[in-house]
Amino acid sequence: KLLPPAKTHFTSVGGNAGDFLPHYSGGLASLPLLTNAAAGSGSITWDDPEDPSNDGVLRKLPMIYQVKDALYPGLDLEALRLLYGQDNIAIKISATATTRQKSGIMGINLGGDFIPTEHNGQIWLHFRALADERYIPAWELLEGKVDGNKIKDHIVYIAATAKGLGDTAHTPLGELIPGVEGHVQLVEQLMTGDSLSRTPWENYLVVVTVLGSWLLLWIFQNRFRPVWSVLLIMLLIAGLVSLAGWLFHAHKMLLDPIYPSLVVSSLFVVMTVPLYLQTEQEQRWIRNAFSRYVSPNRVKFLQENHQQLELGAIYRECSFVMTDLAGFTALMEKYEPALLCDLLNEYLEGMIKIAFRHDGTLDRIVGDAVAVMFSAPLLQPDHAARALACALEMDVFAQKFSHAQSHEKNIPFGVTRIGVNTGNVLVGNFGGKTMLDYRALGDAINTASRLESINKQFSTRICVSGSTVAQCNRFTGRPCGLLVLKGKTEAVATYEPLTEEQLRQPYVVEYLAAYALMEAENPEAIEIMLNLAVKYPDDPLANYHAKRLIRGQRGSRIVLTDK
């Protein structure tokens, strides 16, 4: 269809306006009757075909359109031209960009008034809420029910406002308005000067924000804790949002805080993530290195409960495994120290790995002796069972290690003796502000050490207290005796752990029967135990008790006179 004649004369100052306007290939004209009767022609389209960011929300309206090769004013600019009685509209153009303006259209001169615009001739709308009282239904006008003074000396737009016609638009306020409302608000803002404008220095703000944020983040990350960097970014973003709000309300200027906020957040991520990864790597290295000196479960506990790095202790039931390597001191006099050092380190490494595998805490290493505790610092309801399982695995490892050294290197590596006990101790951090030592203090750990030593008298490898056995439902073993440790009055029941297969062996079955007679102080126990010692010369407990009974001792109670 033929376009309506352009009834406005445009003059461009500083360049060609068409270079900066969106181009339309055609348009729809009004009815010839209306076109011929109208004093002007204005476009009402507000969709920009060249704007990829158009999201369907009405935020701005063009003042000038280029349709094919002709310039047309927007409906609102044309309404003002007719209101002011002007024939000409001057378009001011800046062919080169400045610090305050992009290259393009700077504004429009109309009747001596300068209307600033965006570089593409558009104006941002300063929306107010929709006011229904400003609308007059057509039927009231046609029936003569409208007071003429209500529309006298006003610019009146005639439009279809029914939602079903599809001429609606969403505003930044979230309202769904008739399309004509955007033109009403624009012409009103042009007359009152209440329109919005973009900040000309927004790009410079982004640059300054990025550089300033980078500098501040660098300072904060090198001098302060990470939480301060997070607070800094939050303050910067809050500042940008507050600045945007202040410019909007005080100066009617639009500043989008989202883009610079995203830039600041991205900068924070870019600077913080490598630092975090580096710190995490360093902490992992320290954790791995520290775990060589402290039990891994202790390190993990301190990481999760850093407040526990304080002086103090608690009373708790724990289980302990004490080990000692027999005859190692004598080996030091016969073999090269470097050779024995390597052997000892290999031996201790295997023992400690077993302790850690059962989630035990390494209490200390004294020479070739290892002390492991369970249920500290982490509470372990099955600490007794863990301790017993750890001791059994240590015994298997120690026997294999000793056998390997004796046969492969011809080094008589000694027997490992192990004591296991359960009891209440004071466990926690001891020392002072300069040095902390996490350990357990109490009779229970001393008893475990004494049980380890008693293996030498019993000629056994493992000795477990009755307090530990009582908490191990699947314990299999045989009693060793009721020990009254030096300086104590109460006896400690002791046991040698055995496998199910060992428990069924004749020497064990007969020993248990003989022990029951000995425990009951039956006179026949002496002869039976002596016969067992002769019949099973490799049974250490039968031999030990046979010697006791020959010396005149009775029962299963054994009073120790030394440590």
Side-chain angles (χ1 to χ4, degrees):
K1 295 183 179 180
L2 294 176
L3 295 173
K7 300 182 179 181
T8 303
H9 182 259
F10 286 96
T11 58
S12 297
V13 180
N16 181 14
D19 295 338
F20 307 100
L21 294 172
H23 289 246
Y24 294 87
S25 59
L28 296 176
S30 301
L31 295 174
L33 179 64
L34 297 177
T35 300
N36 295 331
S41 296
S43 176
I44 60 173
T45 299
W46 58 273
D47 284 330
D48 186 348
E50 300 177 3
D51 185 4
S53 63
N54 193 339
D55 57 1
V57 178
L58 180 58
R59 294 185 176 89
K60 52 189 176 181
L61 281 173
M63 295 291 286
I64 308 169
Y65 298 79
Q66 177 164 323
V67 184
K68 293 186 176 180
D69 296 326
L71 295 181
Y72 285 86
L75 176 63
D76 315 302
L77 180 59
E78 186 73 337
L80 284 181
R81 182 186 70 82
L82 295 176
L83 177 66
Y84 296 157
Q86 301 293 315
D87 294 326
N88 300 322
I89 295 178
I91 305 173
K92 187 177 180 180
I93 300 170
S94 174
T96 57
T98 65
T99 57
R100 299 184 58 84
Q101 176 76 37
K102 294 181 180 179
S103 61
I105 299 173
M106 299 177 62
I108 298 169
N109 279 311
L110 178 63
D113 294 333
F114 182 74
I115 303 172
T117 68
E118 294 291 294
H119 71 284
N120 57 359
Q122 296 183 338
I123 287 186
W124 291 89
L125 292 170
H126 189 182
F127 272 102
R128 51 169 172 73
L130 182 64
D132 292 335
E133 64 272 11
R134 297 165 63 86
Y135 284 77
I136 300 174
W139 66 269
E140 290 185 6
L141 185 65
L142 294 175
E143 293 183 4
K145 295 182 179 181
V146 179
D147 184 3
N149 293 324
K150 192 173 182 178
I151 60 176
K152 184 181 180 181
D153 298 328
H154 284 67
I155 295 177
V156 178
Y157 286 100
I158 301 173
T161 59
K163 294 182 179 179
L165 297 177
D167 185 21
T168 56
H170 288 277
T171 72
L173 301 179
E175 291 184 319
L176 183 65
I177 62 171
V180 70
E181 177 69 18
H183 297 287
V184 171
Q185 297 214 22
L186 177 57
V187 75
E188 191 173 58
Q189 292 170 25
L190 292 176
M191 295 175 68
T192 60
D194 192 35
S195 58
L196 300 175
S197 62
R198 297 286 297 194
T199 53
W201 36 264
E202 184 171 352
N203 292 336
Y204 297 97
L205 174 67
V206 173
V207 173
V208 171
T209 301
V210 171
L211 293 178
S213 301
W214 173 81
L215 180 60
L216 289 173
L217 277 174
W218 183 84
I219 294 174
F220 273 58
Q221 289 180 347
N222 284 277
R223 297 188 179 183
F224 305 105
R225 296 170 56 192
V227 65
W228 291 108
S229 298
V230 176
L231 292 176
L232 171 65
I233 294 301
M234 294 176 63
L235 287 175
L236 286 173
I237 294 176
L240 289 169
V241 174
S242 300
L243 176 63
W246 177 74
L247 288 173
F248 180 82
H249 291 289
H251 298 281
K252 299 183 179 64
M253 298 182 72
L254 291 172
L255 171 65
D256 185 2
I258 295 179
Y259 179 68
S261 296
L262 289 175
V263 172
V264 170
S265 301
S266 301
L267 181 64
F268 173 76
V269 172
V270 169
M271 294 183 64
T272 303
V273 169
L275 182 63
Y276 171 80
L277 294 177
Q278 179 183 356
T279 304
E280 177 65 19
Q281 183 179 9
E282 292 174 353
Q283 288 183 345
R284 190 182 302 111
W285 184 88
I286 294 174
R287 183 167 59 248
N288 293 336
F290 195 48
S291 296
R292 296 176 181 268
Y293 296 90
V294 183
S295 298
N297 58 350
R298 175 65 177 156
V299 176
K300 182 180 179 180
F301 178 78
L302 290 177
Q303 285 181 320
E304 298 174 353
N305 304 272
H306 55 83
Q307 70 277 5
Q308 295 295 326
L309 273 172
E310 299 176 358
L311 288 173
I314 58 174
Y315 207 56
R316 176 184 293 177
E317 184 183 63
C318 297
S319 292
F320 300 90
V321 176
M322 305 290 292
T323 75
D324 189 35
L325 183 59
F328 188 77
T329 302
L331 289 179
M332 299 280 293
E333 301 174 357
K334 298 180 180 180
Y335 296 92
E336 289 292 331
L339 174 62
L340 292 180
C341 181
D342 291 339
L343 286 179
L344 181 60
N345 284 334
E346 186 179 352
Y347 165 79
L348 290 175
E349 182 180 5
M351 298 289 278
I352 293 170
K353 282 184 177 180
I354 294 172
F356 290 166
R357 193 152 50 239
H358 292 273
D359 291 328
T361 299
L362 184 63
D363 184 59
R364 60 184 178 271
I365 299 175
V366 181
D368 53 52
V370 177
V372 183
M373 59 182 170
F374 293 84
S375 201
L378 297 176
L379 189 64
Q380 296 168 324
D382 59 342
H383 54 86
R386 288 176 181 267
L388 180 60
C390 176
L392 292 173
E393 188 175 347
M394 282 180 166
D395 179 56
V396 173
F397 166 79
Q399 288 187 77
K400 291 181 179 179
F401 189 86
S402 177
H403 183 270
Q405 305 312 313
S406 299
H407 288 75
E408 295 176 9
K409 299 181 181 179
N410 200 27
I411 298 177
F413 208 76
V415 175
T416 296
R417 297 189 290 260
I418 303 173
V420 184
N421 184 44
T422 298
N424 292 319
V425 292
L426 197 63
V427 60
N429 297 308
F430 298 93
K433 295 181 179 179
T434 305
M435 182 70 179
L436 286 178
D437 186 15
Y438 185 82
R439 64 174 54 250
L441 300 178
D443 185 63
I445 192 169
N446 296 329
T447 300
S449 178
R450 300 286 293 278
L451 294 182
E452 174 272 312
S453 299
I454 201 64
N455 284 292
K456 186 176 182 180
Q457 295 186 35
F458 287 159
S459 297
T460 54
R461 297 191 307 274
I462 305 178
C463 186
V464 184
S465 71
S467 58
T468 300
V469 171
Q471 298 189 38
C472 298
N473 297 328
R474 299 183 178 180
F475 176 81
T476 55
R478 59 177 176 170
C480 299
L482 296 175
L483 300 183
V484 180
L485 303 176
K486 184 177 181 180
K488 303 292 182 180
T489 56
E490 293 185 6
V492 177
T494 59
Y495 298 83
E496 180 191 24
L498 301 172
T499 65
E500 292 283 354
E501 183 180 355
Q502 288 176 320
L503 202 60
R504 292 191 294 269
Q505 295 298 316
Y507 79 94
V508 175
V509 175
E510 295 178 33
Y511 170 85
L512 292 175
Y515 186 89
L517 293 174
M518 181 182 68
E519 190 174 32
E521 298 187 7
N522 189 315
E524 297 180 3
I526 300 177
E527 184 179 354
I528 294 175
M529 194 67 76
L530 287 173
N531 291 334
L532 285 180
V534 174
K535 185 177 181 180
Y536 303 109
D538 294 331
D539 184 359
L541 288 179
N543 281 271
Y544 174 78
H545 288 298
K547 293 176 182 178
R548 282 182 57 246
L549 296 175
I550 291 176
R551 291 195 300 267
Q553 297 184 22
R554 295 291 181 269
S556 60
R557 188 180 181 88
I558 305 169
V559 180
L560 300 180
T561 57
D562 56 23
K563 294 185 177 181

